[in-house]
């Protein structure tokens, strides 16, 4: 008898559906580095359509997608990007924009809802003019994250994104959105993806999180942006040959699983409601907007690591956020495949 496992570590721990596997096996392929893979071309065109942008580019990972996007916008040494102090680009992508791209991060405090105060963004902007010209890097880009992971999957509303876009435009800057879970935000807010990212010059979209594709992300933007991004993808080792095999699975993920994200969000709220009833835990039910549940351990005798060990003995896998904080993530693709 196969033991059932409930895996709440991340929405990345999915398995390809039978429809994905069939699409991968049947995919029409060619050399994508030469621009000839028809399945990749069709998928990129579909993602550009969904997001309301001119063009799209498939990349191996979200980290590479964000790195390519930042380096495409900040193509002059000494460039600076404004981003949240708890953003994924700043905290969890190995400092790639600095170590590889020579781009200086200027952080602004993230609020509990994942936003940054507009006035603090404006105050952080630095232009290479006047007395500071010899001393300061030049701001060229603002980055947002939607949903915001370290804020518990909070959604940035379209009105806020539009305001940040107006700030960027008025100061001659670009706006990039790390939209790893942009479809979760779209479903939770009831706002189409293309409207949600209208103010952005570029967006990265992860396909292997809640959508359940086995590999990959896509970046979208203007044709000129994607033309430059394609060169950087090759530079970073992200050019793949018969990549249509992966794009075929990604297409099925977008086609089949976006409609299931609302149920992920429902399951997260059910989980949070159950945790709320356990006196050793504290959880803010109002903070659960999408597929993430963060809760704190109130009992000093229990640590996150110890709780993980106890859960694993009962075939529940989870991931600690800190010594007293816990993260749980619900994924439709996972529950369909394994539970």
């Amino acid at each position: 008898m196969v033991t059932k496992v409930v895996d709440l570590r991340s929405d990345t721990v999915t398995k390809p559906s039978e429809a994905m596997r069939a699409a991968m096996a049947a995919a029409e392929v060619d050399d994508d580095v030469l621009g000839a893979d028809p399945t990749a071309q069709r998928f990129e065109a579909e993602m550009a359509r969904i997001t309301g942008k001119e063009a799209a580019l498939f990349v191996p990972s979200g980290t590479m997608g964000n790195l390519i996007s930042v380096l495409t916008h900040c193509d002059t040494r000494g460039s600076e990007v404004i981003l949240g102090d708890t953003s994924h680009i700043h905290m969890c992508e190995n400092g790639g924009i600095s170590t590889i791209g020579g781009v200086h991060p200027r952080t602004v405090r993230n609020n509990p809802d994942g936003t940054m105060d507009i006035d603090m963004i404006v105050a952080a902007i630095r232009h290479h003019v006047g007395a500071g010209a010899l001393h300061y890097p030049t701001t060229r880009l603002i980055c947002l994250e939607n949903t915001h992971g370290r804020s518990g999957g909070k959604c940035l509303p379209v009105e806020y994104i539009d305001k940040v876009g107006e700030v960027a435009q008025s100061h001659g800057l670009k706006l990039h959105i790390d939209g790893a879970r942009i479809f979760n935000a779209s479903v939770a807010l009831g706002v189409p993806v293309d409207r949600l990212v209208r103010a952005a010059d570029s967006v990265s979209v992860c396909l292997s999180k809640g959508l359940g594709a086995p590999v990959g992300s896509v970046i979208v933007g203007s044709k000129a942006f994607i033309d430059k991004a394609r060169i950087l993808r090759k530079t970073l080792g992200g050019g793949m040959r018969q990549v249509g095999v992966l794009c075929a699975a990604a297409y099925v993920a977008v086609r089949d699983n976006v409609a299931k994200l609302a149920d992920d969000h429902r399951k997260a709220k059910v989980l949070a409601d159950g945790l709320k009833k356990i006196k050793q835990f504290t959880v803010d039910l109002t903070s659960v907007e999408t597929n993430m549940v963060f809760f704190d351990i109130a009992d000093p005798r229990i640590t996150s690591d110890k709780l993980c060990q106890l859960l694993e003995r009962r075939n529940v896998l989870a991931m600690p956020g800190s010594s007293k904080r816990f993260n749980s993530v619900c994924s439709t693709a996972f529950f369909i495949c394994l539970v």
Side-chain angles (χ1 to χ4, degrees), residues 51-116:
T51 57
K53 303 301 182 185
E54 290 180 356
L57 183 69
F58 184 86
V59 295
S61 71
T63 294
M64 183 180 284
N66 285 330
L67 178 59
I68 289 172
S69 297
V70 172
L71 300 192
T72 299
H73 292 304
C74 300
D75 56 357
T76 302
R77 299 289 291 186
S79 295
E80 184 171 73
V81 55
I82 295 171
L83 72 175
D85 64 345
T86 61
S87 64
H88 196 276
I89 293 175
H90 183 61
M91 298 283 288
C92 302
E93 298 185 7
N94 214 242
I97 63 172
S98 298
T99 58
I100 296 174
V103 178
H104 185 261
R106 185 163 170 84
T107 59
V108 171
R109 181 179 59 85
N110 277 118
N111 296 315
D113 63 358
T115 64
M116 298 176 283

Side-chain angles (χ1 to χ4, degrees), residues 34-64:
L34 301 180
D37 191 294
T39 303
Q41 290 173 357
R42 285 193 292 269
F43 176 67
E44 289 168 347
E46 176 65 4
M47 291 304 295
R49 182 193 68 79
I50 290 172
T51 57
K53 303 301 182 185
E54 290 180 356
L57 183 69
F58 184 86
V59 295
S61 71
T63 294
M64 183 180 284

Side-chain angles (χ1 to χ4, degrees), residues 46-335:
E46 176 65 4
M47 291 304 295
R49 182 193 68 79
I50 290 172
T51 57
K53 303 301 182 185
E54 290 180 356
L57 183 69
F58 184 86
V59 295
S61 71
T63 294
M64 183 180 284
N66 285 330
L67 178 59
I68 289 172
S69 297
V70 172
L71 300 192
T72 299
H73 292 304
C74 300
D75 56 357
T76 302
R77 299 289 291 186
S79 295
E80 184 171 73
V81 55
I82 295 171
L83 72 175
D85 64 345
T86 61
S87 64
H88 196 276
I89 293 175
H90 183 61
M91 298 283 288
C92 302
E93 298 185 7
N94 214 242
I97 63 172
S98 298
T99 58
I100 296 174
V103 178
H104 185 261
R106 185 163 170 84
T107 59
V108 171
R109 181 179 59 85
N110 277 118
N111 296 315
D113 63 358
T115 64
M116 298 176 283
D117 289 344
I118 298 292
D119 59 347
M120 292 181 69
I121 294 175
V122 173
I125 296 172
R126 299 194 280 198
H127 292 293
H128 198 66
V129 294
L134 292 176
H135 305 284
Y136 305 138
T138 301
T139 308
R140 301 187 189 280
L141 178 66
I142 302 171
C143 290
L144 299 177
E145 182 180 330
N146 202 11
T147 63
H148 195 274
R150 285 183 173 259
S151 297
K154 294 288 186 63
C155 303
L156 304 190
V158 66
E159 296 82 6
Y160 172 78
I161 297 172
D162 285 349
K163 288 179 182 177
V164 176
E166 291 169 5
V167 169
Q169 189 172 37
S170 66
H171 287 83
L173 310 178
K174 300 296 185 181
L175 173 62
H176 172 69
I177 295 177
D178 175 1
R181 296 180 176 90
I182 195 69
F183 282 99
N184 290 88
S186 171
V187 169
L189 294 170
V191 178
V193 171
D194 62 335
R195 177 64 190 91
L196 203 53
V197 302
R198 184 181 297 171
D201 297 284
S202 61
V203 187
S204 62
V205 181
C206 188
L207 305 160
S208 60
K209 289 189 169 69
L211 295 180
V215 178
S217 288
V218 65
I219 53 178
V220 298
S222 67
K223 184 179 183 303
F225 169 84
I226 293 298
D227 287 344
K228 290 175 65 177
R230 190 179 301 277
I231 296 170
L232 278 168
R233 183 184 70 173
K234 177 64 175 174
T235 303
L236 295 171
M240 297 180 285
R241 302 296 179 175
Q242 286 71 33
V243 75
V245 172
L246 299 178
C247 289
Y251 181 87
V252 173
V254 173
R255 183 194 69 193
D256 293 355
N257 289 344
V258 171
K260 300 172 184 175
L261 294 179
D263 197 47
D264 285 355
H265 302 170
R266 180 191 64 79
K267 289 175 180 175
K269 288 179 173 62
V270 170
L271 175 61
D273 188 58
L275 291 169
K276 182 75 171 178
K277 297 173 183 176
I278 302 174
K279 65 180 181 180
Q280 288 85 1
F281 303 147
T282 59
V283 57
D284 179 5
L285 298 181
T286 63
S287 71
V288 182
E289 295 183 1
T290 54
N291 65 332
M292 295 185 183
V293 179
F294 284 15
F295 63 95
D296 294 307
I297 301 172
D299 192 326
R301 298 170 298 175
I302 305 173
T303 65
S304 294
D305 288 336
K306 184 177 180 179
L307 182 56
C308 277
Q309 294 169 7
L310 292 171
L311 289 172
E312 188 170 358
R313 292 175 196 165
R314 291 160 175 79
N315 300 313
V316 177
L317 304 180
M319 185 167 61
S322 66
S323 61
K324 288 293 182 180
R325 168 149 281 211
F326 227 81
N327 310 338
S328 297
V329 186
C330 298
S331 170
T332 292
F334 174 82
F335 281 108

